[in-house]
Amino acid sequence: MPKSARKQEKDPEGRMPLAAHLRELRNRLLKSVLAILVVTIIAALKYRAIADFITGPTIAAVGCPKTGAAAGGHPCANIVAQGFIAPFTIMLKLSLTVGLVAASPLWLYQLWAFLAPGLHKHEKKYALSFVAAGVPLFFGGAYLAYAVLPTTAAALVGLTPENWSNLFPADDFFDIVTRMVLVFGFSFELPLLLVLLNKGGVLTGQRILSWWRFMVLGITIFAAVATPTGDPLTMSLLAAPIILLYFGAVGICLLNDRRRKLADPNAGLSDDEASELDLTPSDVEAIEPVSSSRMLPEQPSGENDGNRRGGYDDAT
């Protein structure tokens, strides 16, 4: 594997020629792809265990007994693979999804390593903190999607009329699981985005707090549209944590604004608002003597110039 361009050219300010930047980008992308590929291969080898882990809670909640009858008179469902090559394609899709999600700390680190040399010291501290907080938030949202999936499936299957049977195509089921994991995971990044805008001075905590009615309504509408199942239960389970995280982010922004105001009283002023000036008169320092200079330089007088006297014109 080629050596990193930044190891060959060490610049204290992170400056590199364009060709070195392209080589560095190629190396970072190659390492990210290799990390995803390795995790995908491991997931493919453990495909059966992963599939049972994902589908197990749902089958336990709504699965039909081996006899095919509904348990206790309640509707049930079975997960089936439709098509000759369906098991193979499902294995590829599931393994690749697990590879992307499980290898996210590795490729996020490669992204950070590519951007870090061009950042200042305080920017590196903030960026590393946001990456460190973004990964747990994403996995927290993904786990919530996995936890609410059996309850969602039970609520939907409960709507089945009598004398009907339910069959869940495996590819559709895993597509819904993938979309729910991505939607829940990325939705949990909203508070991090608000804190980032506050740290950058774009939005104040008070401004973000003043939007709380619109934010609550917008989060609820987003949860209703973004959830693949569309049922009120899943929508509520997605919207409630995001709303709580939003108010938590508002608290962090308000504390940051207070700390910034204590450090700099004029930090919260707008561009067209004047800051307070200190008009207290100060003592005058000792006067320094300055030598006088001629107002006009003396010009030499010529013998044939009858209009000049003492080097100056008569008019002067």
Side-chain angles (χ1 to χ4, degrees), residues 4-6 14 16-29 31-32 106-119 124:
S4 174
R6 291 199 175 98
M16 298 170 58
L18 178 60
H21 274 294
L22 295 177
R23 286 195 300 269
E24 182 72 12
L25 179 61
R26 178 198 62 190
N27 295 338
R28 298 296 178 186
L29 288 176
K31 292 178 182 178
S32 302
L106 299 176
W107 55 262
L108 282 176
Y109 171 77
Q110 295 301 324
L111 177 62
W112 155 254
F114 178 75
L115 299 176
L119 301 176
K124 291 181 181 180

Side-chain angles (χ1 to χ4, degrees), residues 26-297:
R26 178 198 62 190
N27 295 338
R28 298 296 178 186
L29 288 176
L30 182 59
K31 292 178 182 178
S32 302
V33 172
L34 287 178
I36 295 173
L37 182 61
V38 170
V39 179
T40 301
I41 293 175
I42 297 175
L45 296 176
K46 301 293 183 179
Y47 160 68
R48 295 181 183 273
I50 295 174
D52 291 338
F53 173 77
I54 295 176
T55 60
T58 303
I59 293 177
V62 299
C64 294
K66 299 234 179 177
T67 58
H74 298 287
C76 62
N78 287 319
I79 298 178
V80 296
Q82 293 181 337
F84 182 71
I85 62 172
F88 178 73
T89 57
I90 293 171
M91 182 190 70
L92 290 181
K93 292 168 62 176
L94 183 61
S95 301
L96 182 58
T97 302
V98 173
L100 286 172
V101 175
S104 58
L106 299 176
W107 55 262
L108 282 176
Y109 171 77
Q110 295 301 324
L111 177 62
W112 155 254
F114 178 75
L115 299 176
L119 301 176
H120 297 290
K121 186 176 180 180
H122 67 283
E123 293 174 336
K124 291 181 181 180
K125 178 181 67 175
Y126 289 145
L128 188 59
S129 301
F130 290 134
V131 172
V135 173
L137 284 174
F138 180 84
F139 280 111
Y143 177 77
L144 179 62
Y146 173 77
V148 304
L149 187 60
T151 306
T152 303
L156 294 178
V157 171
L159 301 177
T160 305
E162 295 183 5
N163 301 323
W164 284 22
S165 60
N166 292 285
L167 294 177
F168 290 169
D171 50 353
D172 293 344
F173 178 80
F174 286 121
D175 286 344
I176 291 177
V177 172
T178 302
R179 281 186 289 171
M180 286 186 64
V181 167
L182 294 178
V183 167
F184 276 60
F186 285 116
S187 298
F188 273 46
E189 304 292 334
L190 173 64
L192 193 62
L193 176 62
L194 296 178
V195 175
L196 176 63
L197 293 175
N198 178 258
K199 288 285 187 180
V202 179
L203 294 174
T204 63
Q206 197 65 35
R207 174 65 64 85
I208 299 175
L209 180 60
S210 65
W211 297 342
W212 73 268
R213 295 180 180 85
F214 301 101
M215 291 296 294
V216 170
L217 179 61
I219 291 172
T220 305
I221 295 175
F222 168 78
V225 175
T227 50
T229 56
D231 61 290
L233 178 61
T234 308
M235 179 194 73
S236 302
L237 291 175
L238 174 61
I242 299 178
I243 292 173
L244 293 177
L245 289 174
Y246 161 73
F247 284 106
V250 169
I252 295 175
C253 295
L254 292 175
L255 291 176
N256 182 59
D257 290 343
R258 182 180 179 184
R259 178 193 58 81
R260 186 182 299 167
K261 187 174 182 180
L262 292 176
D264 184 8
N266 299 324
L269 297 179
S270 60
D271 296 336
D272 56 352
E273 186 177 358
S275 60
E276 296 183 2
L277 299 178
D278 187 7
L279 303 179
T280 304
S282 59
D283 297 335
V284 180
E285 299 179 356
I287 301 176
E288 297 181 2
V290 179
S291 58
S292 60
S293 58
R294 297 174 181 266
M295 295 296 295
L296 293 174

